[in-house]
């Protein structure tokens, strides 16, 4: 449990948010062209990093907006929070 | 087996004040090369090594453990064993394990304190009732014992449950698997370690894997904190850290690692002689032989390797426990801890070859791997030795995420995650 600095609402308890998992997985532009392997890669395969990870969060019990976060999964330290569409920071 | 435990060895050692018991397993330095190396010295890893040596005659094998054996999720779970899963593939897998549990103390000559005290799963709404009745029928078609209990029968089986229909989630009935129960989790790791060691398996503790060496599509060995170890077969049983090991081999797995918590109360006299689980309110409880209530909480909803878990998750579980068992309202909780569980998108495990030759994964057990320990080890050993899955774990291959042939046990799990 930790405190997240929502880019729209400010600091709130993590329990107000829901995590959307790994960020910057791009939706296939031509879904009909995809092989089964490519679908599996897009839908299921995850880096599941122990360390600095880029991920999506939603302020579910607040403004309900999505945003991105950089967090170290080995100690839950948050390095950066940035809005959807913004360029990911270099950590 | 050397140093067989029996009433006679107990009496004999009593004369020397129990100071001459031999160590149950050795503490060897790694050799340069092994026929197979198991990464992860938990119950599943040690069981894999045990069955590789016993059933597949592979004696030159090692188990590498970065901490101490049984110090990960094997020592952190709530020790529940059951096989009442919905789908045929799962029923086959988990009941295979349950059948081995039933004779495991004798097989290992080590008391794992297996107790078939029954597991009851409660229903709190109409959909629960339908799902659990369906599961009861599915279980019985698969030869797994299961009965449906109405509210009155639930109360008879476990008298401390509050069956008032005025609570937020009233008890509408439940299922009971009488062959299910609990076992002493540490003893499982220790028993398998002792058995494997006696057959010549090297159990190497404080040895962390740092890299996997490949030659094209074939594994060649492992870089570890105790130097390079050459091997053609690597079986990874690293639970929450499976993805970390997979990344070393340039492989991605369909896993997310999350903290799962459990807690125990102060010890009290016997009050609950079974295991009661409740999916809808996410609460399950049993009582250890020491007298502590053993309570399982949920997972945190985000990836983390912190082995802690959030307080609000515990709070939610305890609220549900108190509504179902008002008698526990003044119990003090003694300890709380977290373990990192690796969760698959379909909530079923992976016991599989990979597209790298000689690299095998046994992972994705998520929140419920302990119950499968003996079966998992047996089937993983078969997969490694023959380079082909056993028919009982064929469905639990990695390729199911490509083919779409998932084993979706989300709805059938004992508690929602």
């Amino acid at each position: 449990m930790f405190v997240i600095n929502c880019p729209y609402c400010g600091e709130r308890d993590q329990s107000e948010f829901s995590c959307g998992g790994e960020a910057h997985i791009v939706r296939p532009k031509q879904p009909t062209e995809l092989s089964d392997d490519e679908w599996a890669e897009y839908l299921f395969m995850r880096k599941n990093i122990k360390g600095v990870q880029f991920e999506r969060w939603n302020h579910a019990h607040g403004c309900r907006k999505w945003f991105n976060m950089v967090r170290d999964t080995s100690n839950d330290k948050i390095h950066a929070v940035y809005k959807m569409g913004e360029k990911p920071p270099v950590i | 087996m050397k140093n067989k435990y029996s009433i006679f060895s107990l009496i004999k050692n009593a004369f020397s004040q129990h100071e001459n018991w031999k160590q149950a397993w050795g503490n060897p330095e790694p050799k340069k090369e092994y026929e197979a190396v198991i990464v992860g010295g938990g119950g599943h890893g040690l069981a894999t090594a045990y069955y590789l040596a016993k059933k597949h005659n592979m004696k030159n094998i090692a188990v590498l453990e970065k901490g101490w054996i049984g110090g990960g999720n094997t020592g952190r779970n709530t020790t529940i064993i059951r096989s009442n899963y919905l789908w045929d593939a799962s029923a086959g897998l988990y009941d295979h394990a349950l059948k081995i549990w039933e004779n495991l103390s004798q097989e290992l000559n080590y008391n794992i304190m297996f107790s078939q005290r029954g597991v009851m799963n409660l229903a709190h709404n109409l959909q629960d009732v339908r799902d659990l009745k369906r599961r009861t029928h599915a279980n019985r078609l698969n030869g797994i014992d299961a009965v449906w209990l109405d509210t009155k029968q639930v109360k008879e089986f476990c008298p401390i449950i509050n069956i008032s229909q005025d609570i937020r989630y009233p008890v509408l009935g439940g299922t009971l698997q009488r062959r299910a129960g609990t076992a002493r989790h540490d003893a499982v790791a220790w028993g398998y370690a002792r058995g494997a060691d006696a057959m010549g398996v090297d159990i190497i503790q404080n040895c962390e894997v740092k890299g996997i060496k490949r030659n094209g599509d074939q594994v060649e060995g492992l870089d570890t904190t105790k130097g390079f170890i050459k091997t053609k077969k690597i079986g990874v049983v690293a639970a929450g850290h499976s993805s970390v090991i997979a990344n070393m081999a340039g492989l991605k797995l369909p896993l997310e690692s999350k903290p799962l918590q459990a807690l125990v109360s102060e010890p009290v006299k016997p009050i609950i002689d079974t295991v009661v689980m409740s999916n809808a309110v996410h609460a399950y409880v049993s009582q250890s032989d020491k007298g502590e209530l053993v309570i399982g909480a949920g997972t945190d909803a985000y990836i983390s390797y912190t082995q802690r878990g959030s307080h609000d998750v515990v709070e939610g579980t305890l609220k549900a426990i108190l509504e179902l068992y008002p008698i526990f309202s003044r119990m003090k909780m003694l300890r709380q801890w977290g373990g990192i569980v690796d969760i698959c998108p379909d909530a079923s495990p992976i016991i599989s070859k990979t597209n790298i030759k000689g690299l095998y994964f046994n992972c994705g057990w998520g929140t419920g791997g302990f119950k499968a320990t003996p079966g998992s080890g047996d089937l993983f050993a078969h997969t490694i030795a023959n380079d082909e899955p056993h028919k009982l774990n064929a469905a639990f291959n990695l390729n199911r995420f490509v083919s779409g042939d998932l084993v979706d046990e989300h709805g059938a799990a004992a508690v929602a995650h």
Side-chain angles (χ1 to χ4, degrees):
Chain A
M1 195 173 179
F2 37 83
V3 171
I4 296 174
N5 191 7
C6 171
Y8 305 97
C9 311
E11 291 191 346
R12 299 292 181 88
D13 277 354
Q14 168 265 315
S15 55
E16 287 187 17
F17 298 81
S18 61
C19 182
E22 191 178 322
H24 307 298
I25 296 173
V26 181
R27 191 179 166 77
K29 286 203 172 64
Q30 301 279 352
T32 49
E33 312 276 298
L34 247 49
S35 68
D36 288 351
D37 279 318
E38 287 165 327
W39 268 121
E41 181 73 18
Y42 168 69
L43 284 174
F44 298 125
M45 300 304 165
R46 296 293 177 262
K47 289 183 195 150
N48 196 21
I49 293 168
K50 182 180 187 179
V52 175
Q53 168 164 280
F54 291 72
E55 54 197 15
R56 299 176 303 164
W57 283 79
N58 178 251
H59 194 180
H61 300 284
C63 62
R64 300 182 62 83
K65 286 199 176 88
W66 284 92
F67 59 93
N68 290 314
M69 198 157 99
V70 188
R71 184 174 57 96
D72 189 329
T73 59
S74 66
N75 56 18
D76 285 345
K77 189 172 179 247
I78 297 167
H79 290 289
V81 174
Y82 55 101
K83 291 178 182 172
M84 283 286 163
E86 285 180 4
K87 223 176 147 197
V90 181
I91 303 288
Chain B
M1 185 181 287
K2 57 180 181 187
N3 306 318
K4 193 171 188 299
Y5 295 154
S6 68
I7 183 74
F8 304 108
S9 68
L10 192 65
I11 293 167
K12 190 178 147 218
N13 279 279
F15 286 113
S16 53
Q17 271 71 44
H18 296 292
E19 284 177 358
N20 293 332
W21 287 104
K22 298 226 170 67
Q23 279 196 332
W25 56 86
N27 191 23
E29 285 301 309
K31 293 182 214 156
K32 285 203 165 60
E33 186 174 355
Y34 288 98
E35 206 177 336
V37 172
I38 306 300
V39 180
H44 291 244
L46 292 163
T48 305
Y50 175 85
Y51 291 113
L52 274 174
K54 188 178 175 187
K55 293 173 89 168
H56 304 283
N57 208 29
M58 288 169 76
K59 306 290 183 192
N60 186 26
I61 52 182
V63 178
L64 309 184
E65 166 55 47
K66 74 172 171 180
W68 65 97
I69 59 165
N73 292 353
T74 300
R76 292 164 191 265
N77 62 78
T78 49
T79 78
I80 296 166
I81 295 163
R82 60 187 179 88
S83 65
N84 55 352
Y85 280 70
L86 176 66
W87 300 112
D88 295 351
S90 316
L93 178 66
Y94 290 101
D95 210 51
H96 176 60
L98 183 49
K99 282 176 187 144
I100 303 177
W101 279 118
E102 287 176 327
N103 199 35
L104 194 58
S105 287
Q106 285 75 15
E107 185 185 339
L108 294 176
N109 177 232
Y110 201 97
N111 186 5
I112 57 155
M113 297 163 80
F114 182 51
S115 159
Q116 289 178 298
R117 60 185 66 185
V119 168
M120 188 160 68
N121 294 101
L122 299 179
H124 296 281
N125 53 52
L126 194 56
Q127 191 59 47
D128 273 0
V129 172
R130 287 174 181 147
D131 287 346
L132 288 181
K133 278 187 177 168
R134 177 193 178 201
R135 203 174 81 186
T136 308
H137 296 313
N139 288 159
R140 292 168 75 151
L141 286 171
N142 277 315
I144 293 168
D145 69 305
V147 285
W148 169 257
L149 306 178
D150 63 24
T151 308
K152 198 167 143 266
Q153 289 167 314
V154 166
K155 182 80 177 170
E156 276 164 16
F157 188 69
C158 183
I160 59 170
I161 290 183
N162 175 15
I163 55 162
S164 160
Q165 295 301 297
D166 294 332
I167 61 176
R168 176 65 183 84
Y169 296 101
V171 176
L172 301 183
T175 65
L176 175 62
Q177 185 183 17
R178 289 183 193 274
R179 283 164 64 230
T182 60
R184 170 80 196 275
H185 50 4
D186 304 305
V188 176
W190 299 335
Y192 273 122
R194 175 167 167 268
D197 180 88
M199 289 184 286
V201 173
D202 280 357
I203 296 165
I204 302 158
Q205 304 184 67
N206 296 310
C207 180
E208 185 175 352
V209 171
K210 292 290 189 187
I212 290 176
K213 197 177 163 213
R214 283 168 57 176
N215 182 6
D217 276 347
Q218 166 71 47
V219 295
E220 295 224 300
L222 302 126
D223 286 313
T224 76
T225 49
K226 294 196 175 187
F228 181 72
I229 298 171
K230 205 172 151 190
T231 185
K232 294 266 186 231
K233 287 189 176 207
I234 301 172
V236 184
V237 206
H241 282 70
S242 298
S243 297
V244 177
I245 306 281
N247 290 343
M248 291 175 190
L251 198 70
K252 265 208 267 181
L253 295 173
L255 297 175
E256 288 192 322
S257 295
K258 294 172 177 180
L260 176 68
Q261 293 178 84
L263 58 163
V264 295
S265 72
E266 57 189 334
V268 289
K269 291 201 170 168
I271 182 70
I272 178 165
D273 63 355
T274 184
V275 182
V276 185
M277 314 184 82
S278 174
N279 188 340
V281 297
H282 203 297
Y284 55 98
V285 64
S286 62
Q287 191 171 17
S288 74
D289 293 342
K290 283 186 283 182
E292 306 150 324
L293 295 180
V294 183
I295 295 169
T299 52
D300 282 348
Y302 51 86
I303 293 170
S304 179
Y305 288 81
T306 53
Q307 288 193 329
R308 285 196 297 261
S310 301
H311 185 71
D312 55 319
V313 174
V314 170
E315 209 175 4
T317 291
L318 288 181
K319 274 182 193 164
I321 292 277
L322 288 187
E323 194 171 59
L324 278 176
Y325 312 93
I327 191 174
F328 295 151
S329 67
R330 285 189 282 174
M331 293 282 284
K332 292 184 179 71
M333 289 299 143
L334 206 63
R335 290 179 289 129
Q336 167 275 347
W337 64 91
I340 303 304
V341 297
D342 43 329
I343 300 177
C344 262
D346 60 354
S348 284
I350 296 164
I351 312 172
S352 179
K353 302 202 285 186
T354 63
N355 53 20
I356 300 166
K357 213 168 165 332
L359 184 63
Y360 307 86
F361 270 87
N362 182 352
C363 59
W365 289 96
T367 58
F370 176 73
K371 67 175 80 69
T373 305
S376 154
D378 182 33
L379 299 172
F380 195 41
H382 180 101
T383 308
I384 293 172
N386 298 304
D387 197 38
E388 278 300 323
H390 187 278
K391 68 177 180 353
L392 287 175
N393 70 308
F396 299 95
N397 60 53
L398 250 177
N399 196 52
R400 73 179 190 264
F401 298 97
V402 177
S403 70
D405 191 10
L406 303 177
V407 188
D408 187 0
E409 283 288 346
H410 264 295
V415 287
H417 290 293

